[in-house]
Amino acid sequence: MASRNATVALIGAGDYIGAAIARRFAAEGYSVFAGRRNGEKLEPLVAEITATGGTCIGRSLDARKEEEVTAFLTEADAHAPIEACIFNVGANVNFPILETSERVFRKVWEMACYSGFLAGREAARLMVPRGRGSIFFTGATASMRGGSGFAAFASAKFGLRAVAQSMARELGPKNIHVAHLVIDSGVDTAFVRDLRRKRIGSDAIEPDELMDPASIAETYWQLHRQPRDAWTHELDIRPYGERW
């Protein structure tokens, strides 16, 4: 794929969903600016994409800090115009309510909601003058309902969903596609596999029981390509056999 004069800014470029999104957009010729708290962990991804002829630039980024988000997106846009900004910070924690400290609650909110607001606002500052762009937020089952032990995470994800809805209504008429993706199932990651192993005492996983990060990344790409007369704002995805 020939390279494009366009950048995708990925905030929360983790090893699974984030990395898969980076690979998918890079394969379409986009320059990828990837940010995560420990930027050195991006070196394998940068090397992989570069080896295939793509462009990936990794940066250390604390998405809770306004000045760092602004600098990250400004640098990405200076490299080539940002056409997509994807907020993919996790912050999934589980604590009984009596064990949820003020610090935990506040930190999860900062990571999963406040930092999403910063990312979306700063991306919009760059996109609105050009009259185009996509801003996508990664949600979770907790975006739709609070579960036992998830007061901190669910409240933050509820908040992020509200940010996305408000932005979509305001920015849609300006030709900015804002979408919120509800990841409503387990994703095939080392963390999820370890949780399952502890819960059921087995490594056995049925085919398509967990979502492949590459399949999730394909959904982001298809959203970005949607014609503007049929934009999706909220999209929930899960394996075909998932009970919900």
Side-chain angles (χ1 to χ4, degrees):
M1 178 65 67
S3 63
R4 306 174 189 240
N5 183 36
T7 296
V8 55
L10 180 57
I11 296 176
D15 296 331
Y16 295 97
I17 295 176
I21 293 170
R23 295 185 191 102
R24 186 65 184 92
F25 277 79
E28 296 292 338
Y30 283 78
S31 296
V32 177
F33 261 72
R36 65 184 293 175
R37 196 173 341 181
N38 299 311
E40 65 277 5
K41 292 184 177 180
L42 289 165
E43 292 175 3
L45 178 65
V46 171
E48 175 190 340
I49 290 175
T50 301
T52 61
T55 300
C56 183
I57 299 166
R59 293 287 184 264
S60 291
L61 171 65
D62 187 339
R64 299 169 297 172
K65 296 183 178 179
E66 182 178 30
E67 65 277 8
E68 291 193 24
V69 173
T70 301
F72 174 78
L73 292 175
T74 299
E75 182 186 5
D77 196 63
H79 177 83
I82 293 178
E83 291 200 358
C85 177
I86 298 172
F87 177 79
N88 186 57
V89 173
N92 187 350
V93 298
N94 183 292
F95 287 99
I97 191 66
L98 297 182
E99 297 175 18
T100 302
S101 67
E102 181 276 339
R103 180 179 180 276
V104 165
F105 191 93
R106 175 167 41 83
K107 184 176 180 180
V108 171
W109 175 79
E110 288 176 346
M111 293 172 65
C113 183
Y114 173 67
S115 57
F117 152 72
L118 291 177
R121 187 195 65 186
E122 293 306 301
R125 287 192 197 279
L126 298 167
M127 294 176 180
V128 167
R130 290 194 288 265
R132 69 180 187 276
S134 299
I135 302 173
F136 297 156
F137 298 94
T138 299
T141 304
S143 303
M144 311 300 291
R145 61 181 185 270
S148 176
F150 289 102
F153 184 58
S155 59
K157 283 297 187 181
F158 267 60
L160 181 67
R161 185 182 185 224
V163 169
Q165 286 182 1
S166 296
M167 286 184 59
R169 291 185 168 95
E170 180 176 346
L171 299 178
K174 301 179 188 296
N175 200 34
I176 310 299
H177 185 185
V178 180
H180 176 252
L181 293 92
V182 179
I183 311 301
D184 189 29
S185 179
V187 180
D188 194 356
T189 68
F191 174 73
V192 171
R193 284 178 174 264
D194 185 57
L195 284 179
R196 290 184 80 267
R197 186 181 304 113
K198 292 176 180 177
R199 186 173 69 247
I200 66 176
S202 171
D203 290 327
I205 295 177
E206 295 296 323
D208 301 320
E209 180 182 348
L210 300 177
M211 285 195 284
D212 185 339
S215 300
I216 297 172
E218 181 64 28
T219 301
Y220 282 82
W221 171 245
Q222 295 299 331
L223 271 180
H224 180 57
R225 295 178 66 244
Q226 279 187 327
R228 66 181 184 177
D229 63 335
W231 272 349
T232 294
H233 167 63
E234 189 159 75
L235 179 66
D236 53 335
I237 55 177
R238 63 185 66 83
Y240 67 92
E242 180 81 6
R243 294 180 179 179
W244 57 287

Coordinates of all heavy atoms in Angstrom, one line a residue, residues 166-178 228 231:
S166 N -21.6 13.6 23.5 CA -21.6 15.0 23.4 C -20.8 15.5 22.2 O -21.2 16.4 21.4 CB -21.2 15.6 24.7 OG -22.0 15.3 25.7
M167 N -19.6 14.9 22.1 CA -18.7 15.3 21.0 C -19.3 15.0 19.6 O -19.2 15.7 18.7 CB -17.3 14.7 21.2 CG -16.5 15.2 22.3 SD -14.8 14.5 22.3 CE -14.2 14.8 20.7
A168 N -19.9 13.8 19.5 CA -20.5 13.4 18.3 C -21.6 14.4 17.8 O -21.7 14.7 16.6 CB -21.0 12.0 18.4
R169 N -22.4 14.8 18.7 CA -23.5 15.7 18.4 C -23.0 17.1 18.0 O -23.6 17.8 17.1 CB -24.5 15.8 19.6 CG -25.3 14.5 19.8 CD -26.3 14.7 20.9 NE -27.2 13.5 20.9 CZ -27.1 12.5 21.6 NH1 -26.1 12.4 22.5 NH2 -28.0 11.5 21.6
E170 N -21.9 17.5 18.6 CA -21.3 18.8 18.3 C -20.5 18.8 17.1 O -20.5 19.7 16.3 CB -20.5 19.3 19.5 CG -19.9 20.7 19.3 CD -19.1 21.1 20.6 OE1 -19.3 20.5 21.7 OE2 -18.4 22.1 20.5
L171 N -19.7 17.7 16.9 CA -18.7 17.7 15.8 C -19.1 17.0 14.5 O -18.6 17.3 13.5 CB -17.4 17.0 16.3 CG -16.7 17.7 17.5 CD1 -15.5 16.9 17.9 CD2 -16.3 19.2 17.2
G172 N -20.2 16.2 14.6 CA -20.7 15.6 13.4 C -21.0 16.5 12.3 O -20.6 16.4 11.2
P173 N -21.8 17.6 12.6 CA -22.1 18.6 11.6 C -20.8 19.3 11.0 O -20.9 20.0 10.0 CB -23.0 19.6 12.3 CG -23.6 18.8 13.4 CD -22.5 17.9 13.9
K174 N -19.7 19.2 11.7 CA -18.4 19.7 11.2 C -17.6 18.7 10.4 O -16.4 18.9 10.1 CB -17.6 20.3 12.4 CG -18.3 21.4 13.2 CD -17.5 21.8 14.3 CE -18.3 22.8 15.3 NZ -18.7 24.0 14.6
N175 N -18.2 17.6 10.1 CA -17.6 16.5 9.3 C -16.5 15.7 10.1 O -15.6 15.2 9.5 CB -17.0 17.0 8.0 CG -16.9 15.9 7.0 OD1 -17.6 14.9 7.0 ND2 -15.8 16.0 6.2
I176 N -16.7 15.7 11.4 CA -15.8 14.9 12.3 C -16.6 13.7 12.8 O -17.6 13.9 13.5 CB -15.3 15.7 13.5 CG1 -14.7 17.1 13.0 CG2 -14.2 14.9 14.3 CD1 -13.5 17.0 12.1
H177 N -16.1 12.5 12.5 CA -16.8 11.3 12.8 C -16.3 10.9 14.2 O -15.2 10.5 14.4 CB -16.5 10.2 11.8 CG -17.2 8.9 12.1 ND1 -17.0 7.8 11.3 CD2 -18.2 8.6 12.9 CE1 -17.8 6.8 11.7 NE2 -18.5 7.3 12.7
V178 N -17.2 11.0 15.2 CA -16.9 10.5 16.6 C -17.7 9.2 16.9 O -18.9 9.2 16.7 CB -17.3 11.6 17.6 CG1 -17.0 11.1 19.0 CG2 -16.6 12.9 17.3
R228 N -20.1 9.3 5.1 CA -20.6 10.2 6.1 C -22.1 10.3 6.1 O -22.7 10.8 7.1 CB -20.0 11.6 6.0 CG -20.4 12.4 4.7 CD -19.7 13.7 4.7 NE -20.1 14.5 3.6 CZ -19.7 15.8 3.4 NH1 -18.8 16.3 4.2 NH2 -20.0 16.4 2.3
W231 N -23.0 7.3 9.1 CA -22.0 7.1 10.1 C -22.6 6.3 11.3 O -23.8 6.5 11.7 CB -21.5 8.5 10.7 CG -20.4 9.0 9.9 CD1 -19.6 8.4 9.0 CD2 -19.9 10.4 10.0 NE1 -18.6 9.2 8.5 CE2 -18.7 10.5 9.1 CE3 -20.2 11.5 10.7 CZ2 -18.0 11.6 9.0 CZ3 -19.5 12.6 10.6 CH2 -18.4 12.7 9.7

